[in-house]
Amino acid sequence: MTGIAGKHVLLIVTGGIAAYKALELTRLIQKAGGTVQPILTRAATEFVTPLSIGTLAGHAALTELFDLTREAEIGHIELSRSADLIVVAPASADFLAKMAQGHADDLASTTVLATDTEIMIAPAMNVRMWEAPATRRNVAQLRSDGVHVVGPDEGDMACGEFGPGRMAEPQAILEAITAHFDAKAARGRLKGLKAVVTSGPTREWIDPVRYISNESSGRQGTAIAKALIAEGAEVVFVTGPAKAPRPAGCRIIEVETALEMDAAVQDALPADFAVCVAAVADWRMAEAHDQKLKKTPDGTPPTLELTANPDILAGLSQGDQRPRLVIGFAAETENLEANAARKRKTKGCDWILANDVSAQSGTFGGPENSVILLTESGAEPWPSLPKSKVGHRLAARIASHFGR
Ligand code: CTP
């Protein structure tokens, strides 16, 4: 599965009569299975309202750099990095100049400066502005910075002139975006390799209304699956009831309990490699109750008898159909490296990514992760990275392990 399906596009709309076409582009991206987060410059709001594009996108359009609520929730850096592609459409002459110079005086320009995501621009301006030496210099600079340029088209312009400068049609921009994602997938270094990824928490039922679980959001597992898919791997994603949206372009198996996760993983074999990111509950009820547990008249709380769940990672590492590379995580709140090294040995996996999940680390449910990779050749601390980056870095390591 390729194209836009499951991809998240940050759509920056700058000022210009073509801004109304951003609505059509939003609709087309969604129809193709992608999601859109719009950002409008102040000038853009003169042409389209944040309400119209935000409603269409299903995500409130953002306009202000110092929107404190937004900043607290996600922050502009994370905003720019969580996207699979940033599209600036229309891109005005002024915005191109700002991008080429690296200005950051509003949310739109700050986002493009702070990102490491690829950027595509669809310029739209008067023909003389497009042909002006300054714009030519700016576009040449942006191209050499790796920015993709779509259009502009030649034709009658809103200002009554004729020539190049009209924004490429939304359909053409959509095709350029699709081609971009297709080309990326085709260059993948994990093409031809099959992976099983476990993710999210498991849920162990006590009775029909209560369960034992944990706070795993599934963000790290999802980010890893996305990175593997982007590198062309065939991924079977086995996930517990996690909050994170599911990755696109792979087989998804939804499970609830550790027993179900274990069975799904075994079913997915053989595979070339496995990454166990799930926060599997270690215990389940020895006997789940069919009916809701009732309070006793004297108020004595019930005793919950637990039994051990299978260790899915250990089962994979020691099983008959062992993948050639088995990777686990170690969630620790103390003695990170020593505990993780012990886990690598006892479970029999090849690599362990040790992460600190103590409350002050912010890892559980948070956007960043700081891990130590333990392999047969030792410990390699990684800097604190967005979970998406941990995914890409791991995918690159796996590719080099397989000699890609
Ligand atoms: N794991 C698993 N099945 C389990 C428990 C853990 O597959 N029943 C995997 C996790 O997906 C992770 C690794 O084992 O890749 C380590 O999980 P972690 O929770 O850190 O360790 P536990 O084995 O549960 O040990 P402890 O709770 O004692 O730290």
Side-chain angles (χ1 to χ4, degrees), residues 198 276-278 280-282 310-313 328-332 343 347:
T198 69
C276 291
V277 199
V280 184
D282 292 320
D311 189 312
I312 301 168
L313 176 63
F329 267 76
E332 306 295 343
K343 264 181 203 168
K347 295 187 187 237

Side-chain angles (χ1 to χ4, degrees), residues 340-376:
R342 194 171 330 111
K343 264 181 203 168
R344 192 176 86 81
K345 286 250 155 60
T346 52
K347 295 187 187 237
C349 60
D350 301 296
W351 300 352
I352 278 251
L353 287 136
N355 63 345
D356 181 354
V357 292
S358 56
Q360 71 271 17
S361 73
T363 298
F364 243 49
E368 299 228 335
N369 204 350
S370 149
V371 304
I372 303 175
L373 173 67
L374 300 174
T375 68
E376 63 286 0

Side-chain angles (χ1 to χ4, degrees), residues 8-10 37 39 62 65 69-86 107 110-117 217 219-220 222-223 226 244-245 362-363 365-369 384-390 392:
H8 186 53
V9 174
L10 204 59
Q37 169 63 64
I39 293 183
L62 306 172
L65 179 55
T69 338
R70 185 74 196 169
E71 204 56 34
E73 270 172 24
I74 181 161
H76 61 275
I77 305 276
E78 167 69 4
L79 179 71
S80 67
R81 293 183 176 177
S82 63
D84 295 300
L85 181 69
I86 296 180
L107 181 61
T110 307
T111 302
V112 292
L113 189 65
T115 197
D116 49 6
T117 301
S217 63
R219 287 173 86 164
Q220 186 61 82
T222 304
K226 276 182 144 184
T363 298
E368 299 228 335
N369 204 350
S384 180
L385 294 167
K387 288 181 175 174
S388 58
K389 281 283 141 61
V390 172
H392 288 298

Side-chain angles (χ1 to χ4, degrees), residues 309-322:
N309 269 328
D311 189 312
I312 301 168
L313 176 63
L316 268 173
S317 304
Q318 297 160 26
D320 297 341
Q321 288 190 284
R322 188 190 201 280

Side-chain angles (χ1 to χ4, degrees), residues 23-46:
L23 295 168
E24 174 68 357
L25 180 59
T26 300
R27 205 185 58 78
L28 289 174
I29 294 171
Q30 285 180 322
K31 218 172 132 205
T35 52
V36 177
Q37 169 63 64
I39 293 183
L40 271 62
T41 62
R42 186 156 303 180
T45 62
E46 303 285 338

